[in-house]
Amino acid sequence: MSTEYNKVYNKDEIRETLLDIVTSHTKVERTTINDKSDIIDDLKMDSLDTIMVIMTAEEEFEVFIDESSAEKVQTFGDLVDTVIDKLDMADRLTK
């Protein structure tokens, strides 16, 4: 997955890309994932899986997700919101 430096994203692109990332690190089918999907219970991700997903998201979107923000990611929706927040702070989110 390669990105254009300082690319601007819309929320649908972010969600779709994160679905790709999560499904590439888990055995969960894309169609079963929604914003309320719990990282541990529904997506069956352990701490290493979660770190890998967050690191892949950081690389894909060229953002830094600090430890405090990463610890708050409990659901797929939290992951989406975290990436959106980081892109918005960098003025790389379409309104």
Side-chain angles (χ1 to χ4, degrees), residues 39-50:
I39 296 291
I40 296 169
D41 295 334
D42 300 323
L43 303 180
K44 309 296 183 209
M45 292 170 51
D46 61 21
S47 57
L48 181 58
D49 294 325
T50 304

Side-chain angles (χ1 to χ4, degrees), residues 1-18:
M1 292 183 223
S2 63
T3 59
E4 175 186 325
Y5 183 69
N6 286 330
K7 179 178 178 185
V8 176
Y9 295 89
N10 67 48
K11 292 179 181 181
D12 289 336
E13 289 175 310
I14 295 165
R15 181 175 307 286
E16 290 301 312
T17 302
L18 288 172

Side-chain angles (χ1 to χ4, degrees), residues 28-43:
V28 176
E29 290 194 32
R30 181 185 186 95
T31 57
T32 65
I33 301 172
N34 62 55
D35 283 348
K36 294 182 181 178
S37 295
D38 186 271
I39 296 291
I40 296 169
D41 295 334
D42 300 323
L43 303 180

